[in-house]
Amino acid sequence: GSKKAFEFIIKNYSEENLNPIKSLLSKSIYNDFDSQIKKRVKGSQNLDITIISIKDAEITAASLRSNNATISVKFISEQVHVLKDTKGKVIEGDNNQILTINESWTFSKNMKSKDPNWALEKIEESK
């Protein structure tokens, strides 16, 4: 399920649509995403992120403290990132450049909750 969550979160973030993913994000991640989107909107910019493939998704850590579980997943993906102005002119990035992105995403869940979703708590670059 982490691969699907990864793709779903990135897709909606890129489309500046946080409502479908709000329940999948911790409050701090939601606020970070919201702030970044507002900054781009204010600057009349759009960020297009296309996931070409997820090369690997590996659990790197897991813990259970009381009823709170956390799990870290290292994602290696190929993505295209392009920042455009409102007229579609490329400001940053290249539609033809595939980037290899290595990130560690940490998810958490209260195991007593009836909600089956895990919340994204942290995103870090990894090697």
Side-chain angles (χ1 to χ4, degrees):
S2 65
K3 285 183 183 181
K4 286 182 183 178
F6 179 83
E7 290 180 287
F8 188 66
I9 289 169
I10 289 177
K11 175 185 177 290
N12 282 279
Y13 169 72
S14 174
E15 294 173 355
E16 299 175 355
N17 188 9
L18 296 181
N19 284 337
I21 59 174
K22 189 171 186 174
S23 67
L24 302 176
L25 307 175
S26 69
K27 187 173 180 129
S28 65
I29 293 286
Y30 177 86
N31 289 339
D32 286 348
F33 281 7
D34 187 53
S35 172
Q36 291 168 16
I37 288 169
K38 285 178 180 170
K39 185 177 174 185
R40 285 196 302 272
V41 168
K42 187 176 180 181
S44 300
Q45 300 172 339
N46 296 310
L47 177 63
D48 291 333
I49 301 174
T50 303
I51 297 174
I52 305 299
S53 69
I54 298 175
K55 294 282 194 190
D56 194 23
E58 175 188 350
I59 295 172
T60 57
S63 67
L64 179 62
R65 287 188 183 88
S66 190
N67 295 317
N68 294 315
T70 60
I71 190 165
S72 295
V73 181
K74 179 181 176 183
F75 292 99
I76 301 173
S77 63
E78 292 182 330
Q79 302 178 23
V80 175
H81 291 198
V82 181
L83 186 64
K84 299 177 182 178
D85 66 17
T86 52
K87 294 178 181 160
K89 181 181 175 200
V90 175
I91 298 168
E92 190 177 295
D94 182 342
N95 283 316
N96 298 313
Q97 182 182 21
I98 298 173
L99 306 170
T100 300
I101 308 292
N102 295 308
E103 293 178 325
S104 179
W105 286 28
T106 301
F107 299 90
S108 70
K109 178 176 178 13
N110 180 329
M111 299 310 285
K112 288 199 173 192
S113 171
K114 294 195 185 302
D115 183 350
N117 294 319
W118 290 67
L120 177 60
E121 293 285 338
K122 184 169 36 171
I123 301 173
E124 297 176 303
E125 283 187 43
S126 64
K127 296 181 181 192

PDB file of all heavy atoms in Angstrom, residues 7 14 31 45 48 54 63 108 116:
ATOM      1  N   GLU A   7       2.322   7.435  -4.721  1.00  0.00           N
ATOM      2  CA  GLU A   7       1.849   7.965  -6.003  1.00  0.00           C
ATOM      3  C   GLU A   7       0.649   8.893  -5.818  1.00  0.00           C
ATOM      4  O   GLU A   7       0.588   9.967  -6.431  1.00  0.00           O
ATOM      5  CB  GLU A   7       1.481   6.828  -6.954  1.00  0.00           C
ATOM      6  CG  GLU A   7       2.693   6.052  -7.442  1.00  0.00           C
ATOM      7  CD  GLU A   7       2.324   4.919  -8.378  1.00  0.00           C
ATOM      8  OE1 GLU A   7       1.775   3.903  -7.900  1.00  0.00           O
ATOM      9  OE2 GLU A   7       2.584   5.075  -9.591  1.00  0.00           O
ATOM     10  N   SER A  14       0.988  17.636  -6.595  1.00  0.00           N
ATOM     11  CA  SER A  14       1.349  18.264  -7.859  1.00  0.00           C
ATOM     12  C   SER A  14       0.156  18.996  -8.475  1.00  0.00           C
ATOM     13  O   SER A  14       0.307  20.056  -9.080  1.00  0.00           O
ATOM     14  CB  SER A  14       1.883  17.211  -8.838  1.00  0.00           C
ATOM     15  OG  SER A  14       2.117  17.753 -10.113  1.00  0.00           O
ATOM     16  N   ASN A  31       0.507  21.208   6.445  1.00  0.00           N
ATOM     17  CA  ASN A  31       0.815  22.639   6.492  1.00  0.00           C
ATOM     18  C   ASN A  31       1.983  22.987   5.568  1.00  0.00           C
ATOM     19  O   ASN A  31       1.960  24.026   4.900  1.00  0.00           O
ATOM     20  CB  ASN A  31       1.105  23.088   7.923  1.00  0.00           C
ATOM     21  CG  ASN A  31      -0.148  23.088   8.783  1.00  0.00           C
ATOM     22  OD1 ASN A  31      -1.275  23.137   8.280  1.00  0.00           O
ATOM     23  ND2 ASN A  31       0.033  23.020  10.091  1.00  0.00           N
ATOM     24  N   GLN A  45       2.844  30.165 -10.473  1.00  0.00           N
ATOM     25  CA  GLN A  45       3.617  29.015 -10.942  1.00  0.00           C
ATOM     26  C   GLN A  45       2.855  27.719 -10.686  1.00  0.00           C
ATOM     27  O   GLN A  45       2.067  27.622  -9.742  1.00  0.00           O
ATOM     28  CB  GLN A  45       4.967  28.945 -10.221  1.00  0.00           C
ATOM     29  CG  GLN A  45       5.827  30.157 -10.442  1.00  0.00           C
ATOM     30  CD  GLN A  45       7.069  30.150  -9.570  1.00  0.00           C
ATOM     31  OE1 GLN A  45       7.138  29.476  -8.546  1.00  0.00           O
ATOM     32  NE2 GLN A  45       8.060  30.923  -9.977  1.00  0.00           N
ATOM     33  N   ASP A  48       4.574  20.571 -12.057  1.00  0.00           N
ATOM     34  CA  ASP A  48       4.129  19.296 -12.623  1.00  0.00           C
ATOM     35  C   ASP A  48       5.119  18.224 -12.215  1.00  0.00           C
ATOM     36  O   ASP A  48       6.304  18.323 -12.529  1.00  0.00           O
ATOM     37  CB  ASP A  48       4.073  19.362 -14.158  1.00  0.00           C
ATOM     38  CG  ASP A  48       2.969  20.270 -14.668  1.00  0.00           C
ATOM     39  OD1 ASP A  48       1.964  20.436 -13.952  1.00  0.00           O
ATOM     40  OD2 ASP A  48       3.118  20.801 -15.782  1.00  0.00           O
ATOM     41  N   ILE A  54       8.398   3.536  -9.909  1.00  0.00           N
ATOM     42  CA  ILE A  54       8.943   3.336  -8.560  1.00  0.00           C
ATOM     43  C   ILE A  54       9.856   2.127  -8.671  1.00  0.00           C
ATOM     44  O   ILE A  54       9.389   1.008  -8.872  1.00  0.00           O
ATOM     45  CB  ILE A  54       7.835   3.113  -7.515  1.00  0.00           C
ATOM     46  CG1 ILE A  54       6.933   4.346  -7.436  1.00  0.00           C
ATOM     47  CG2 ILE A  54       8.444   2.805  -6.150  1.00  0.00           C
ATOM     48  CD1 ILE A  54       5.737   4.187  -6.521  1.00  0.00           C
ATOM     49  N   SER A  63       8.510   0.642  14.211  1.00  0.00           N
ATOM     50  CA  SER A  63       8.470   0.597  15.672  1.00  0.00           C
ATOM     51  C   SER A  63       7.019   0.679  16.146  1.00  0.00           C
ATOM     52  O   SER A  63       6.139   1.146  15.424  1.00  0.00           O
ATOM     53  CB  SER A  63       9.296   1.738  16.285  1.00  0.00           C
ATOM     54  OG  SER A  63       8.695   2.984  16.004  1.00  0.00           O
ATOM     55  N   SER A 108       2.810   6.993  10.184  1.00  0.00           N
ATOM     56  CA  SER A 108       2.418   6.593  11.538  1.00  0.00           C
ATOM     57  C   SER A 108       0.936   6.251  11.566  1.00  0.00           C
ATOM     58  O   SER A 108       0.167   6.673  10.701  1.00  0.00           O
ATOM     59  CB  SER A 108       2.709   7.704  12.544  1.00  0.00           C
ATOM     60  OG  SER A 108       1.832   8.784  12.332  1.00  0.00           O
ATOM     61  N   PRO A 116      -8.166   2.885   8.640  1.00  0.00           N
ATOM     62  CA  PRO A 116      -7.108   1.998   8.136  1.00  0.00           C
ATOM     63  C   PRO A 116      -5.893   2.750   7.578  1.00  0.00           C
ATOM     64  O   PRO A 116      -4.851   2.150   7.336  1.00  0.00           O
ATOM     65  CB  PRO A 116      -7.806   1.223   7.012  1.00  0.00           C
ATOM     66  CG  PRO A 116      -8.855   2.162   6.519  1.00  0.00           C
ATOM     67  CD  PRO A 116      -9.311   2.931   7.737  1.00  0.00           C
TER      68      PRO A 116
END
